[in-house]
């Protein structure tokens, strides 16, 4: 039996040896790659962050109002100072941790906000920084002093927005949901009235009355009628009738008409409402960009 197996394998010995060698090489390469990735993850520095510049009536110079620094490595970083490089040779000191270094732990994000300043000083004299703090003139970068020396903080990738696509294709639309809030509770668009019942001792109960509640009747003690939903006064009269008959116990009834509030809040919106429809491939990817180019051409030509 053994001789038979060896006889069958013998013609393929070279191929088997090649497969074994290739498998060993693949395992070694995988182990080396994992070791290298682990080394990269724990070695050197990799900080990412951004800052914001604010202009205020409280001071003549713009100032750094907030910074965010994120540690992307699996190791802690000792930060001795944070600067904003606003141009070649100009560094604005934001934080000085020389006496007590700030420890940014692995994968930790550090944020801080700042108020207005009085002025800037360099070489014992006041210095104006208005021109250099305008982003459109010079490129700003956060620079930190660490236990491993100077490190320039990487800027995060620019966030994408649908408006970027709209500039190239005007068939792109951003749809923003609008939500109402009342005492920390979200209110849907079908809620027409908010009824607040105040009982003895000041205990309050809030009821959300929807447009179709005369059909579903959500309350056992109170029967909502279609006529009672015509106005806030009609709804208040309905609840007062239940109080007078003893089916409802409360000292006061307040009814808030949400449709009236929505009407005043959306005064700047168009009264017209349209329904979104699917856009075909040709219309979006061909007609949309051509339309955007044509409008840009019309704008440039006057």
């Amino acid at each position: 039996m053994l001789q038979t197996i060896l006889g069958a394998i013998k013609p393929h010995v070279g191929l088997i040896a090649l497969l074994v060698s290739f498998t060993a090489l693949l395992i070694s390469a995988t182990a080396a790659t994992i070791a290298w990735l682990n080394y990269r993850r724990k070695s050197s520095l990799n900080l990412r962050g951004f800052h914001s510049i604010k202009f205020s009536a409280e001071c003549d110079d713009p100032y750094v109002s907030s910074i965010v620094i994120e540690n992307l490595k699996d190791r802690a970083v000792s930060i001795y100072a944070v600067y904003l490089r606003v141009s070649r040779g100009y560094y604005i000191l934001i934080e000085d941790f020389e006496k007590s270094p700030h420890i940014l732990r692995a994968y930790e994000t550090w944020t801080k906000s700042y108020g207005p300043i009085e002025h800037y000083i360099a070489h014992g004299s006041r210095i104006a920084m208005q021109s250099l703090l305008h982003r459109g003139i010079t490129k700003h970068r956060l620079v930190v002093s660490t236990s491993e020396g100077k490190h320039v903080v990487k800027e995060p990738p620019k966030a994408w927005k649908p408006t970027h696509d709209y500039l190239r294709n005007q068939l792109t639309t951003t749809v923003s949901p609008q939500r109402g809030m009342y005492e920390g509770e979200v209110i849907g668009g079908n809620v027409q009235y908010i009824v607040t019942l105040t009982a003895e001792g000041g205990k309050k109960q809030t009821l959300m009355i929807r447009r179709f509640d005369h059909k579903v009747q959500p309350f056992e003690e109170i029967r909502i009628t279609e006529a009672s939903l015509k106005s806030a006064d009609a709804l208040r009269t309905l609840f007062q009738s239940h109080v007078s008959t003893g089916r409802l116990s409360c000292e006061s009834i307040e009814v808030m008409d949400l449709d009236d509030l929505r009407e005043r809040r959306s005064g700047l919106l168009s009264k017209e409402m349209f329904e979104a429809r699917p856009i075909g491939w040709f219309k979006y990817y061909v007609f949309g960009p051509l339309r955007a180019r044509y409008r840009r051409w019309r704008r440039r030509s006057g």
Side-chain angles (χ1 to χ4, degrees), residues 82-286:
V82 180
Y83 300 88
L84 179 65
R85 187 177 66 194
V86 295
S87 181
R88 285 185 293 272
Y90 286 95
Y91 294 86
I92 296 177
L93 178 63
I94 300 176
E95 286 283 358
D96 186 357
F97 299 116
E98 193 68 33
K99 295 181 179 180
S100 179
H102 177 77
I103 307 300
L104 191 61
R105 293 188 292 270
Y107 303 117
E108 184 182 28
T109 300
W110 174 55
T111 64
K112 190 167 182 180
S113 300
Y114 304 92
I117 66 169
E118 290 190 359
H119 51 260
Y120 293 102
I121 294 179
H123 304 298
S125 302
R126 290 187 56 175
I127 181 172
M129 301 293 294
Q130 290 93 334
S131 60
L132 293 183
L133 282 171
H134 283 80
R135 275 188 174 273
I137 300 176
T138 60
K139 185 176 180 62
H140 303 162
R141 296 296 296 270
L142 286 171
V143 181
V144 296
S145 172
T146 72
S147 55
E148 299 184 20
K150 172 184 174 182
H151 181 79
V152 179
V153 177
K154 294 193 306 184
E155 293 183 344
K158 292 183 178 180
W160 172 87
K161 293 181 180 180
T163 50
H164 299 162
D165 288 353
Y166 173 78
L167 297 176
R168 298 186 298 270
N169 188 336
Q170 292 185 340
L171 292 181
T172 303
T173 303
T174 301
V175 181
S176 303
Q178 305 295 305
R179 291 182 175 86
M181 297 288 295
Y182 180 76
E183 294 185 352
E185 186 174 353
V186 179
I187 303 171
N190 281 330
V191 178
Q192 188 176 3
Y193 301 102
I194 296 178
V195 179
T196 304
L197 306 176
T198 305
E200 293 182 5
K203 185 178 180 180
K204 293 185 178 182
Q205 181 182 7
T206 302
L207 305 177
M208 304 291 179
I209 309 299
R210 298 166 295 182
R211 307 180 192 283
F212 49 80
D213 276 351
H214 64 286
K215 298 179 181 179
V216 299
Q217 298 298 329
F219 311 113
E220 293 184 3
E221 303 87 356
I222 304 170
R223 181 169 182 81
I224 305 296
T225 64
E226 187 174 3
S228 66
L229 296 178
K230 295 294 184 183
S231 67
D233 290 336
L235 187 62
R236 186 180 298 104
T237 300
L238 173 69
F239 277 85
Q240 287 174 344
S241 67
H242 284 72
V243 172
S244 61
T245 58
R247 284 178 290 180
L248 183 65
S249 177
C250 66
E251 292 185 345
S252 66
I253 302 171
E254 297 179 15
V255 179
M256 181 185 301
D257 188 341
L258 294 182
D259 283 347
D260 183 51
L261 293 176
R262 293 182 181 115
E263 184 71 21
R264 283 181 283 167
R265 188 179 63 183
S266 61
L268 299 178
L269 296 177
S270 171
K271 302 299 181 182
E272 181 183 3
M273 183 174 70
F274 66 93
E275 184 175 354
R277 301 287 185 184
I279 303 175
W281 185 94
F282 180 84
K283 184 176 181 181
Y284 183 78
Y285 289 105
V286 178

